[in-house]
Amino acid sequence: MTTIGLTGGIGSGKSTVASLFAAYGIPVYVADDAGKRLVNTSPNLRNRLTSLLGDGIYGKDGLNRRMMASLIFNDKNLLERVNAIIHPEIAIDFDRWLERQTGRYAVLESAILFESGFDAKVEVRLTVHAPEALRLQRVIAREQTTEAEVRQRMNNQLPDEIKMKYADCVILNDDTHALIPQMENFLVWLDNR
């Protein structure tokens, strides 16, 4: 089985590309969704995050994600410490998920594929790229947020130029290049590599 790491900056359209993989029958593990699930189901994560961030970080509905975001996105050191707690659990969960897959390909989708070290778990790295102005426009419209908040999140991710440099392939999601032909070209390349 060939593992594919799918990444791209916020607003790049990596989730759209992930849904195309799923439409082609290729299973997709979404690291962000797994992280959201694990912080609420793993006693280890709950204990470690509570120790680091305080008892108030969990409420009756689970992790207070808004509170955590307000703490970590203004403090790179704290962000790194939280990631050092969560990412190993996601890596273990991904390995367990991967063991259950039977197809020819499997995808690990992560906005921070390279930053998290998850790129070491895959054989092929695919970056989805869109111009920054378009990414900002998409996220502001989708999340009803401000440009400053989106830029703050962008600043916690590697620039697209670096992601593209590390990638084996790049898909352009710039509202000019059609996604499906690029996806089909990628799958042909994958079959022939």
Side-chain angles (χ1 to χ4, degrees), residues 47-107:
N47 290 338
R48 293 182 68 197
L49 290 172
T50 299
S51 293
L52 178 64
L53 302 172
D55 290 331
I57 201 65
Y58 279 89
K60 62 182 170 90
D61 296 327
L63 180 71
N64 184 333
R65 294 178 50 79
R66 180 168 283 180
M67 177 189 289
M68 186 168 83
S70 71
L71 294 170
I72 64 176
F73 286 127
N74 294 315
D75 184 338
K76 284 210 182 252
N77 179 45
L78 189 57
L79 173 62
E80 289 173 7
R81 292 171 65 194
V82 166
N83 285 342
I85 292 170
I86 296 173
H87 291 165
E89 290 268 347
I90 293 173
I92 291 167
D93 191 64
F94 170 72
D95 289 342
R96 289 181 182 142
W97 174 86
L98 191 59
E99 288 173 4
R100 297 189 305 269
Q101 305 312 307
T102 58
R104 193 165 173 198
Y105 303 115
V107 176

Side-chain angles (χ1 to χ4, degrees), residues 18-185:
S19 68
L20 287 176
F21 275 111
Y24 280 96
I26 299 170
V28 178
Y29 180 93
V30 180
D32 190 48
D33 291 349
K36 288 175 185 173
R37 173 178 46 83
L38 290 168
V39 295
N40 287 315
T41 59
S42 165
N44 177 45
L45 284 182
R46 186 181 185 112
N47 290 338
R48 293 182 68 197
L49 290 172
T50 299
S51 293
L52 178 64
L53 302 172
D55 290 331
I57 201 65
Y58 279 89
K60 62 182 170 90
D61 296 327
L63 180 71
N64 184 333
R65 294 178 50 79
R66 180 168 283 180
M67 177 189 289
M68 186 168 83
S70 71
L71 294 170
I72 64 176
F73 286 127
N74 294 315
D75 184 338
K76 284 210 182 252
N77 179 45
L78 189 57
L79 173 62
E80 289 173 7
R81 292 171 65 194
V82 166
N83 285 342
I85 292 170
I86 296 173
H87 291 165
E89 290 268 347
I90 293 173
I92 291 167
D93 191 64
F94 170 72
D95 289 342
R96 289 181 182 142
W97 174 86
L98 191 59
E99 288 173 4
R100 297 189 305 269
Q101 305 312 307
T102 58
R104 193 165 173 198
Y105 303 115
V107 176
L108 166 58
E109 186 257 294
S110 173
I112 54 173
L113 184 77
F114 300 109
E115 301 93 322
S116 64
F118 293 156
D119 62 306
K121 298 190 120 341
V122 298
E123 298 162 78
V124 175
R125 290 140 198 93
L126 174 64
T127 294
V128 180
H129 171 71
E132 184 176 290
L134 182 56
R135 292 170 53 208
L136 281 166
Q137 179 185 352
R138 288 173 178 165
V139 178
I140 290 168
R142 176 181 73 206
E143 298 181 12
Q144 300 297 305
T145 188
T146 66
E147 181 177 335
E149 289 174 348
V150 177
R151 286 193 183 281
Q152 184 179 27
R153 289 163 65 187
M154 286 179 166
N155 291 337
N156 287 316
Q157 297 179 352
L158 281 177
D160 270 12
E161 295 72 27
I162 295 175
K163 289 182 184 202
M164 290 188 296
K165 178 181 165 187
Y166 293 150
D168 298 297
C169 291
V170 175
I171 286 182
L172 299 176
N173 187 18
D174 57 3
D175 292 346
T176 301
H177 296 84
L179 287 178
I180 292 176
Q182 292 181 80
M183 186 72 167
E184 289 175 354
N185 288 339

